[in-house]
Amino acid sequence: MNLELSEEQAAVRQLAEEFVGREITPHVVEWDRSENIDKSIVKKLGALGFLGLTIDEEYGGSGGDHLAYCLVTEELGRGDSSVRGIV
């Protein structure tokens, strides 16, 4: 049994990690203090395919598997649990 990430899963995790570093981490203290997040983050999550990640492409989703979904939510939660909750 191979328990390593596929190339696609590793790429999705890397994309999420970079997104967190670029779009979430710089703002997390401000968002926490104001008890609010920048609503534009939702559009950015959608543009990357993180919304509807496990929905088949034929129905408008990204066609990812459940492990990719877990990897994305883990990375988002590392940055800000509130953003993870959106996904």
Side-chain angles (χ1 to χ4, degrees), residues 5 12-13 16-17 20 24 50 53 66-81 83-85 87:
L5 298 178
V12 167
R13 191 208 53 79
E17 180 182 4
V20 167
I24 297 174
F50 292 163
L53 187 61
H66 291 311
L67 180 55
Y69 173 80
C70 291
L71 294 167
V72 167
T73 58
E74 185 174 284
E75 288 298 325
L76 292 175
R78 186 180 55 79
D80 187 336
S81 186
V83 176
R84 175 182 53 198
V87 174

Side-chain angles (χ1 to χ4, degrees), residues 19-73:
F19 178 79
V20 167
R22 183 180 63 250
E23 300 290 342
I24 297 174
T25 304
H27 309 288
V28 72
V29 172
E30 173 190 338
W31 292 349
D32 187 52
R33 288 188 178 146
S34 68
E35 298 180 4
N36 198 8
I37 62 167
D38 183 351
K39 308 285 188 281
S40 70
I41 200 82
V42 176
K43 193 172 210 172
K44 293 173 183 178
L45 290 166
L48 289 176
F50 292 163
L51 303 178
L53 187 61
T54 60
I55 297 173
D56 289 337
E57 291 180 45
E58 67 184 292
Y59 299 112
S62 301
D65 60 21
H66 291 311
L67 180 55
Y69 173 80
C70 291
L71 294 167
V72 167
T73 58

